[in-house]
Amino acid sequence: MIYFDHNATTPLDERVLEEMLPFLGQLYGNPSGLYRLARVSRSAMETAREHIAQLVNAEPEHIVFTSGGTEANNVALKSGLIKKHLITSAIEHPSIIKSLPNNGAKKTIIGVTEQGIISSQEISDSADFDFASFMMVNNETGVIQDIKKITQLVKKRGALIHTDAVQALGKIPVDFQDLGVDLMSLSSHKIYGPKGCGALISKQTDLMQNFMTGGGQEQGLRAGTENVAAIVGFGKAAELAKLELQERQAHTLKLRNYLEQQLYRVSSVKVFSEHVPRISNTVQMGIQGCIGEMLLMQLDQKNIAVSSGSACASNEEASSHVLGAMNIEPQLAQSAIRVSLGKNNTLEEIDVFVQELKQIITKNR
Ligand SMILES: Cc1ncc(COP(=O)(O)O)c(C=O)c1O
């Protein structure tokens, strides 16, 4: 099978699985316990926290483990930090778009350019906001936002800023301190770690309301016995992502350049956001005269996995809200498919994909 949907999820790295297995077997201690078996779990969890902190240059004590990026995003917006007015963009993941603050605070949606860049002018023009949430990398187009610059704009207004760094992690350098953000969401399964695990990084833990009530786990913010094996896996995946970041970037860039060179020869193909900075593994394209969902199914019959728009949202949306916000003509938006490459893909797989795609396009005409 040819797997080109790494922005939806990545396969578990074998080295990650190896690290996790003991914690699914003989090392079953509850990390809150005081005896040796428990202390082993606690210590493995803290090592994982350190690896994640090192990957994003944050303090380990600012990291709270969650069930994934969705939970981290929800918590950022719902844990009481927004008092009156939230600004966010039209291209955020549904876990931000649909997460209204509980207290009825106002919400303003900032637009994007046709290439998918968040409008800093609209941010500057916004009045009286006290909280901003902007994604670092878009999951569909792969566009990289200038979060450092946006943070400076937001900070001038004395507001807090959260960034969803789920798609940036492991693909570009992510530096929590240098960006200057207050909160950041991460997810394990986009970096070859296990699903159902993520983190919220926050300098504001003292200002946040607890979001899961019970025992005192995770500084009393998120009660519940921790998913130790998954956290250990996330930590190992973070350690590997730090070590291999440049190699992975270079590899996917080589594949993507090769893919795009061939796509440019197919006149009906339009690559979105091609003129702005994008992560090296992502190509979202529209194919004139086709329907994205149909293409996806036809490619699936050839054992090739891609996504049409956002995998997380594709079962709900007629066409992508991201492409809609970029003002892409609806018919072209509906024809979109996304290829997201990973560290184990090869040039030969790109050749097979391009060949099959061309045949499908010809057949559909
Ligand atoms: C940008 C972005 N944010 C958040 C999420 C949600 O992360 P999780 O699947 O860990 O809940 C995703 C998942 O696709 C994503 O792409």
Side-chain angles (χ1 to χ4, degrees):
M1 177 195 176
I2 298 181
Y3 185 74
F4 280 171
D5 201 14
H6 292 80
N7 288 6
T9 195
T10 51
L12 194 69
D13 190 302
E14 275 174 25
R15 295 164 292 180
V16 171
L17 177 62
E18 214 172 285
E19 201 83 2
M20 290 171 68
L21 281 175
F23 295 91
L24 294 165
Q26 71 276 26
L27 298 181
Y28 52 81
N30 185 324
S32 297
L34 298 176
Y35 40 82
R36 190 178 309 156
L37 188 68
R39 291 200 310 270
V40 171
S41 293
R42 160 69 47 197
S43 149
M45 245 176 52
E46 294 319 317
T47 303
R49 207 186 303 271
E50 273 164 32
H51 283 309
I52 295 157
Q54 280 163 16
L55 177 61
V56 297
N57 189 25
E59 298 298 334
E61 59 271 24
H62 289 156
I63 296 178
V64 176
F65 288 116
T66 64
S67 65
T70 297
E71 182 183 322
N73 281 346
N74 270 260
V75 169
L77 267 56
K78 291 184 177 181
S79 60
L81 295 171
I82 308 172
K83 304 290 181 218
K84 50 175 190 181
H85 183 186
L86 160 72
I87 61 167
T88 186
S89 87
I91 57 164
E92 300 294 314
H93 188 264
S95 53
I96 291 289
I97 300 251
K98 295 182 184 173
S99 272
L100 280 168
N102 290 333
N103 60 0
K106 186 176 159 193
K107 186 172 182 177
T108 299
I109 305 289
I110 303 291
V112 298
T113 66
E114 288 194 353
Q115 291 284 316
I117 298 280
I118 295 168
S119 162
S120 37
Q121 189 58 49
E122 280 187 40
I123 298 175
S124 298
D125 292 347
S126 300
D128 279 349
F129 60 89
D130 61 346
F131 195 100
S133 178
F134 294 109
M135 71 198 325
M136 202 169 167
V137 166
N138 183 265
N139 41 304
E140 292 188 32
T141 56
V143 169
I144 303 169
Q145 307 295 336
D146 189 345
I147 292 297
K148 194 169 175 177
K149 187 174 129 201
I150 290 178
T151 299
Q152 285 160 0
L153 289 177
V154 168
K155 287 289 159 194
K156 269 194 205 155
R157 313 291 277 274
L160 295 175
I161 176 159
H162 161 257
T163 189
D164 172 351
V166 166
Q167 292 292 346
L169 195 69
K171 295 176 186 140
I172 53 172
V174 175
D175 189 323
F176 181 77
Q177 318 245 12
D178 183 56
L179 289 171
V181 293
D182 299 285
L183 301 109
M184 178 182 275
S185 299
L186 307 176
S187 176
S188 151
H189 72 109
K190 314 285 186 183
I191 63 161
Y192 305 92
K195 295 169 185 51
C197 188
L200 180 67
I201 308 182
S202 175
K203 289 192 277 189
Q204 314 293 334
T205 45
D206 52 333
L207 302 179
M208 288 167 72
Q209 290 155 9
N210 66 338
F211 45 93
M212 201 69 97
T213 308
Q217 291 94 344
E218 296 298 286
Q219 304 171 48
L221 285 171
R222 187 183 192 266
T225 303
E226 300 89 341
N227 186 351
V228 179
I231 291 171
V232 166
F234 186 14
K236 183 68 186 175
E239 184 190 2
L240 295 170
K242 187 169 166 64
L243 284 172
E244 297 175 2
L245 178 68
Q246 284 180 351
E247 193 188 318
R248 291 180 192 179
Q249 263 185 319
H251 177 66
T252 50
L253 186 62
K254 184 173 89 178
L255 297 189
R256 193 188 72 183
N257 287 343
Y258 182 62
L259 169 63
E260 289 188 352
Q261 268 165 24
Q262 300 187 60
L263 290 176
Y264 289 138
R265 290 192 209 129
V266 187
S267 61
S268 51
V269 174
K270 157 104 185 86
V271 172
F272 297 122
S273 301
E274 58 181 316
H275 301 303
V276 291
R278 274 179 298 153
I279 44 174
S280 59
N281 79 321
T282 304
V283 186
Q284 192 182 34
M285 63 191 107
I287 300 171
Q288 308 269 5
C290 293
I291 295 175
E293 297 274 308
M294 294 280 290
L295 283 172
L296 182 152
M297 286 187 275
Q298 286 167 304
L299 286 164
D300 185 39
Q301 279 166 9
K302 303 287 176 190
N303 233 355
I304 301 172
V306 299
S307 115
S308 65
S310 159
C312 310
S314 61
N315 45 4
E316 278 181 30
E317 286 184 322
S319 72
S320 143
H321 72 283
V322 176
L323 296 178
M326 288 160 58
N327 239 340
I328 302 293
E329 182 215 327
Q331 249 183 349
L332 189 61
Q334 269 194 12
S335 75
I337 57 168
R338 177 191 68 189
V339 167
S340 50
L341 304 163
K343 66 186 175 75
N344 300 325
N345 288 133
T346 62
L347 287 170
E348 290 71 31
E349 289 178 326
I350 304 274
D351 282 333
V352 175
F353 169 74
V354 172
Q355 199 185 338
E356 295 294 356
L357 184 67
K358 279 184 185 161
Q359 276 178 18
I360 291 171
I361 294 174
T362 314
K363 211 165 82 189
N364 286 356
R365 276 214 190 101

